Every structure is written in structure tokens, then in C-alpha cells.
Amino acid sequence: MSDFEHSRGRSGGRGGDKDKDKGEKGGRRTFFRRRRVCKFCVEKIDYVSYKDVKLLAPFIPERGKIQPRRISGVCATHQRALQNAIKRARQIALVPYTTD
Amino acid sequence: MSTTRQYELVYLTPPDATEDALGELHKQVQVVVDRFNGSIEKTENWGRRKLAYEINHQREATYVLEVINGPGAMTAELDRRLRVFDNVIRHMIVRVDEDLATADRAKTRRKANMAKRRVKRGLPPEPTDAELHRRREESDDFDGGGDMPFRGGGDR
């Protein structure tokens, strides 16, 4: 946990350096609170069902795309399961392909 | 010789489909399943739901889920039949037995591991009610329940 805090602090520092030439970029970096734990591991969800829209919804941003792992912090195994589930849910119109 | 597998069939009917029409559809599915010596384990009607996108210029549909045990050849036949019906605007068949079995194995393994660790620490293999209660209280302030999903703009 402290390791995570440390690395975050450092990246913030780097962002601060960049701030001098690109203020906007640095500000953006600190805007996102990254979650470094996999929700499915923590909650011990073994089977990601395509029927459970409530479960899938947080991983589908407004645009309708699947949230990348580097942002949501989901582990590789569960991201794969999640991806399958979202794609199935899309087929039966539980979840959008795109929204504009 | 064909092995029995478990499938989930979801089909969508127009929102104006009557009870009779739904019953008729269910019967049709049953006929196909019977012909392949399968069985319908469970039927769930989710009722009318809003669609995430328009299908045939409709914004709503009635969802029906059927959990079916049967051979693989059955799904091909079901697929073919369902495509013909006017009353079915969308359908999907998914094989679930393998995934459910994997999930089940993971669960038992986790449970066994936990029991082993607990015994090593000199605790009873199963957590007591008091422990479970305390853990729930702790986890409450950990996640804060349903905190906001990430804002858009990060995924391009």
C-alpha cells in the first residue's frame, strides 16, 4: 500500500516538472484517481455474467467502449472475462455498442 | 453419442407480444429440446426492458431466458428455428457449463486454502459469525459502496 502511495507521489512530481511547459497535462494526471485493485478479485467474483448489467456498467464509460485495464485496475484474467461478458451483453442490447 | 451440455438461450420479442405468443414460443423451443432428448432447466421472463440501442426501430423488448441441457446439435437447430420466427427480434445461445464449473472450482479451492491457513494459525476452519460481522463493517469504509465510475475522457 505504501509502495503504491510512493509511486503515485513520484509520478505527481514528474507531472509537476512537466507543468512548467505543459500545465494542462500535469493537471490531468492528478485528476484521475487510479484504482490499483481488481474489483473482481476483491469481491471474489468468479463468474462474470453477461446478464448482470449492474456489474458491467462501471466498466463502460459514456462513450460505450470497454474501459481499459490500465485505468480500471482489473487484473488480466478478469478483464478477459469482463470483455467476453460485455460483448455478449451487447449482442442482446443490454449494453450499447456505441453512444453518441 | 452426444454429450449433454448446458446452454443459456436469451431471446427478445417485440414489446407488444402477447402472453399467448410468448407461450407459443416457449412451446416451440420445448419441442426442439425434446427432440434432442434435452431438458429445460429453468425459464425466466425478465419482462419489458429498454434496449441499449434500437432494433427494428423499437426501443423496448421483452426478454426471456431459458437454461437448457442438451447436445450441441440442438443449439444449431434452435438457432435456425429462432431466426425464422417473426416474434423473435434477437436471440443468443451461450454455453455456460464450462465457465460455471471453472468458477465453482475456484470457489472450492479458495475455501480450502482459507481453511488450511486458518488451521495453521490455530483458528477453526470456518470463520465465526462474530468475525464475519466485523469484517463486513471494515469493508464498508474500505470501498464506500458504489463509488462513481471513472469519468469519461480517459479512454482515447
Side-chain angles (χ1 to χ4, degrees):
Chain A
M1 207 56 189
S2 66
D3 205 43
F4 160 60
E5 286 297 329
H6 181 63
S7 73
R8 242 207 359 177
R10 206 170 40 189
S11 86
R14 233 189 295 143
D17 279 352
K18 263 185 199 162
D19 244 353
K20 281 166 191 159
D21 25 280
K22 271 189 186 174
E24 200 189 20
K25 258 262 152 77
R28 233 180 166 196
R29 208 150 255 268
T30 49
F31 178 75
F32 290 108
R33 188 178 67 90
R34 289 199 183 174
R35 197 198 277 198
R36 281 271 135 243
V37 286
C38 172
K39 182 191 171 176
F40 299 97
C41 288
V42 169
E43 293 182 15
K44 300 192 173 81
I45 299 167
D46 295 313
Y47 177 58
V48 188
S49 174
Y50 63 92
K51 290 170 285 183
D52 195 347
V53 183
K54 275 215 185 90
L55 179 70
L56 305 179
F59 300 96
I60 304 161
E62 275 163 71
R63 181 78 195 169
K65 289 180 168 186
I66 299 175
Q67 182 114 45
R69 202 156 87 69
R70 74 184 127 86
I71 292 172
S72 59
V74 176
C75 74
T77 317
H78 283 123
Q79 178 75 6
R80 201 158 50 239
L82 179 68
Q83 170 195 330
N84 275 335
I86 291 176
K87 285 177 177 179
R88 281 172 180 175
R90 278 175 178 170
Q91 281 188 44
I92 53 170
L94 292 175
V95 150
Y97 281 101
T98 57
T99 45
D100 37 30
Chain B
M1 178 66 209
S2 58
T3 45
T4 305
R5 293 179 173 146
Q6 193 171 68
Y7 297 93
E8 282 180 357
L9 162 67
V10 184
Y11 54 83
L12 280 60
T13 62
D16 49 12
T18 56
E19 284 288 310
D20 290 350
L22 287 177
E24 177 62 29
L25 265 174
H26 179 71
K27 221 181 287 168
Q28 294 277 0
V29 172
Q30 181 86 59
V31 166
V32 177
V33 171
D34 281 345
R35 194 140 53 81
F36 285 90
N37 292 324
S39 62
I40 296 184
E41 198 171 295
K42 179 168 88 169
T43 307
E44 247 176 57
N45 192 331
W46 297 352
R48 268 169 72 158
R49 286 184 64 110
K50 253 188 98 181
L51 296 170
Y53 49 89
E54 275 187 31
I55 303 176
N56 298 345
H57 305 292
Q58 296 195 355
R59 301 191 155 274
E60 280 185 334
T62 308
Y63 283 71
V64 181
L65 167 80
E66 316 239 18
V67 182
I68 303 168
N69 295 313
M74 180 189 71
T75 58
E77 178 65 14
L78 274 175
D79 202 41
R80 201 180 63 78
R81 290 281 188 102
L82 285 166
R83 224 170 314 180
V84 175
F85 294 135
D86 295 336
N87 261 343
V88 177
I89 57 175
R90 189 63 61 98
H91 72 271
M92 183 174 76
I93 304 171
V94 176
R95 184 178 162 191
V96 290
D97 52 356
E98 263 184 342
D99 288 349
L100 287 178
T102 313
D104 211 44
R105 270 202 304 278
K107 205 173 179 182
T108 29
R109 196 172 48 225
R110 187 164 42 231
K111 235 180 170 172
N113 281 345
M114 189 178 77
K116 226 191 294 177
R117 279 202 307 273
R118 286 179 64 88
V119 168
K120 231 179 193 169
R121 282 161 57 199
L123 297 164
E126 293 290 321
T128 56
D129 285 349
E131 271 181 79
L132 283 176
H133 190 69
R134 203 175 56 224
R135 202 173 302 164
R136 207 168 304 135
E137 275 176 359
E138 275 167 14
S139 69
D140 271 353
D141 54 46
F142 165 62
D143 199 19
D147 68 339
M148 274 289 290
F150 302 89
R151 297 270 168 78
D155 62 331
R156 61 188 70 130

